[in-house]
Amino acid sequence: MTGGLHVEAVGSGPALVLLHGWAMHSGVWGPLVPRLARRFRVHAVDLPGHGRSPPLAAFTLDAVVHALEQAFAREERLTILGWSLGGLVAMRWALAAPARAGPHVDRLALVSTSPRFVAGDDWPHAMAQETLARFGDELNVAWKLTVLRFLALQLQGSEHGRAALATLRARLYERGEPDRQSLVDAFEAIAAADLRAEAGTLAQPALVVAGSRDTLTLPAAGKWLAGAMPDARFALIAGAAHVPFLSHPDAFYAALDPFLDGR
């Protein structure tokens, strides 16, 4: 437990922080962690109310960033790898870091994420507002069933999706059930977030990874994000949906490795 968050650290080298997606925990990274730990000190975080981390009074992006800043107060420089909700948190953290004392965010790897998760008149690169709202309503009625449906949606259309979905389902509760209110708050944070106006100020070197068959965070959203950031590259994983590091681990690592090496 570090600063109230459960963080598992392994390996040696520069600090690399892994931030998972909604309703999951840091165990979702699976075999990616030992690969990364050959060259980095990998810090796999359970976000508040997920896995073994206790909930916050309210799960907001700013509150989560504050908890992370406390957890990593002794670190000077960080690379952050964020998936889905974790990518949204990573962007908010990078935006906040220059204005506050704490670790400097050096690099960002943003996987299957978006500056805005809800479609609108000026943003077609996301799920329809009605679809996301329906998930939110169902979450308040039958949250376990809703989480399972959300997991299935993440792998819909993916090559090797059945095996990856089985892995997600098997790991879902291996660290206990997530806090229900944290799930609701986090879902609302996802639905409300819009970082498009700030994307151009994210000056850190960045890698934006998208799956070509992702229906949650559309590839066009990732391409837009990489184009909006001053120093970003875009990698498209062919045949992957929302969880490319599980469904297509070799292709994912081939995109990630040179970026982490500064190539």
Side-chain angles (χ1 to χ4, degrees):
M1 193 74 72
T2 306
L5 293 176
H6 181 80
V7 181
E8 295 181 0
V10 62
S12 59
L16 173 61
V17 178
L18 308 187
L19 303 177
H20 61 80
W22 182 78
M24 292 303 301
H25 50 75
S26 60
V28 73
W29 299 106
L32 182 65
V33 171
R35 290 178 90 164
L36 294 171
R38 295 169 190 165
R39 296 181 293 119
F40 296 92
R41 180 66 170 171
V42 178
H43 301 270
V45 178
D46 285 351
L47 292 175
H50 295 66
R52 298 190 178 110
S53 286
L56 298 171
F59 189 114
T60 66
L61 294 184
D62 288 338
V64 174
V65 166
H66 181 67
L68 287 164
E69 288 175 334
Q70 289 184 312
F72 292 98
R74 295 184 180 181
E75 297 287 344
E76 293 184 2
R77 316 189 77 82
L78 298 171
T79 295
I80 307 173
L81 168 56
W83 165 55
S84 195
L85 167 62
L88 198 59
V89 172
M91 286 187 277
R92 174 56 75 191
W93 192 0
L95 288 166
R100 297 208 285 256
H104 186 271
V105 177
D106 273 354
R107 303 170 76 80
L108 291 168
L110 305 170
V111 183
S112 301
T113 196
S114 173
R116 175 171 170 165
F117 280 67
V118 184
D121 293 340
D122 61 345
W123 185 249
H125 314 313
M127 293 178 66
Q129 186 172 5
E130 296 78 11
T131 302
L132 206 64
R134 192 180 313 120
F135 270 105
D137 292 341
E138 293 171 353
L139 189 60
N140 288 304
V141 176
W143 72 269
K144 287 188 177 181
L145 182 59
T146 304
V147 168
L148 289 175
R149 287 186 58 237
F150 200 75
L151 293 187
L153 189 61
Q154 292 182 35
L155 276 305
Q156 183 175 295
S158 174
E159 293 174 351
H160 322 302
R162 184 172 296 181
L165 179 57
T167 299
L168 282 181
R169 285 175 170 167
R171 291 179 175 161
L172 179 59
Y173 298 130
E174 69 180 5
R175 297 189 178 186
E177 295 181 357
D179 175 67
R180 180 176 177 179
Q181 189 59 49
S182 295
L183 291 183
V184 173
D185 290 349
F187 198 88
E188 291 177 354
I190 291 170
D194 189 349
L195 301 183
R196 289 176 297 166
E198 294 96 332
T201 66
L202 287 165
Q204 294 89 346
L207 171 69
V208 181
V209 182
S212 68
R213 300 183 183 181
D214 193 345
T215 59
L216 287 179
T217 51
L218 304 183
K223 191 171 183 180
W224 183 96
L225 180 59
M229 297 170 70
D231 186 11
R233 66 183 78 169
F234 178 66
L236 186 68
I237 308 298
H242 195 62
V243 200
F245 55 91
L246 287 184
S247 63
H248 296 68
D250 291 335
F252 176 78
Y253 194 75
L256 181 65
D257 186 52
F259 169 74
L260 293 178
D261 270 350
R263 290 182 271 138

